[in-house]
Amino acid sequence: MTQASQPTGTPPHRSSHGSSHGPGQQGNSAWASGGAVFAGVLMLCSGVLAILQGIAAISKDVVYGTVGDYVYRINLTGWGWIHLIVGVLLVITGYGVLKSMEWARWFGIFLAGLSIVAQFLFLPYLPVWALIVIAIDVFIIWALAVYRPTDDQPLL
């Protein structure tokens, strides 16, 4: 049937090439896909920076200023190991997110939440940096939560 001979009120026939999603399934918007790519890249960058931050804290406890009577007192070597381990996990998970691996999306949400808590506890040492990383982690959680990977739609 040609488009000219279709009954009035009937939408034109759409090709099946536009979407491979079944009924009730939604595809990702450009914002969701772009946000997931950006979240993966942010996780890679944040992970590398956390690794460097951890190495600095482990190698010399005098790199960061001393904090007086802080409720959540952990020595800087302890903080260094925490940042180092979280950083390595962020790099691995960020790579997994960029490769559209389902486990990476869920683990990335978990790690970003863990990073928020760690940065909150680290606020007295580097307050501005900790707040910036918390904001980045909130974006990562949002981007990974709204993105739904599909086999026919890889991120990269």
Side-chain angles (χ1 to χ4, degrees), residues 39 43 89-90 93-94 97 101-117 137-149:
M43 290 175 75
L89 292 174
L90 279 169
T93 306
V97 166
M101 297 178 181
E102 183 70 17
W103 67 267
R105 187 169 70 92
W106 291 109
F107 197 60
I109 291 170
F110 169 77
L111 277 179
L114 184 65
S115 177
I116 288 173
V117 172
D137 288 335
V138 168
F139 172 79
I140 289 170
I141 291 171
W142 172 82
L144 295 179
V146 299
Y147 179 69
R148 300 288 182 260

Side-chain angles (χ1 to χ4, degrees), residues 66-75 79 120-125:
T66 57
V67 177
D69 293 329
Y70 182 49
V71 175
Y72 307 109
R73 189 180 316 176
I74 298 175
N75 68 13
W79 277 118
F120 174 77
L121 296 175
F122 201 67
L123 268 170
Y125 296 98

Side-chain angles (χ1 to χ4, degrees), residues 54-68:
I55 290 170
I58 291 169
S59 66
K60 286 188 167 195
D61 278 344
V62 296
V63 171
Y64 299 104
T66 57
V67 177

Side-chain angles (χ1 to χ4, degrees), residues 13-156:
H13 175 68
R14 293 187 183 216
S15 168
S16 63
H17 300 300
S19 174
S20 62
H21 302 289
Q25 292 180 328
Q26 294 182 5
N28 289 308
S29 70
W31 282 99
S33 297
V37 171
F38 191 50
V41 171
L42 282 175
M43 290 175 75
L44 286 171
C45 293
S46 180
V48 169
L49 293 174
I51 289 169
L52 295 174
Q53 190 177 8
I55 290 170
I58 291 169
S59 66
K60 286 188 167 195
D61 278 344
V62 296
V63 171
Y64 299 104
T66 57
V67 177
D69 293 329
Y70 182 49
V71 175
Y72 307 109
R73 189 180 316 176
I74 298 175
N75 68 13
L76 281 173
T77 303
W79 277 118
W81 282 106
I82 290 169
H83 285 294
L84 184 67
I85 291 167
V86 170
V88 168
L89 292 174
L90 279 169
V91 168
I92 293 167
T93 306
Y95 178 77
V97 166
L98 292 175
K99 292 298 181 182
S100 296
M101 297 178 181
E102 183 70 17
W103 67 267
R105 187 169 70 92
W106 291 109
F107 197 60
I109 291 170
F110 169 77
L111 277 179
L114 184 65
S115 177
I116 288 173
V117 172
Q119 292 299 325
F120 174 77
L121 296 175
F122 201 67
L123 268 170
Y125 296 98
L126 291 172
V128 174
W129 179 249
L131 290 174
I132 291 169
V133 174
I134 288 171
I136 289 170
D137 288 335
V138 168
F139 172 79
I140 289 170
I141 291 171
W142 172 82
L144 295 179
V146 299
Y147 179 69
R148 300 288 182 260
T150 58
D151 293 335
D152 63 338
Q153 187 185 29
L155 284 175
L156 295 179

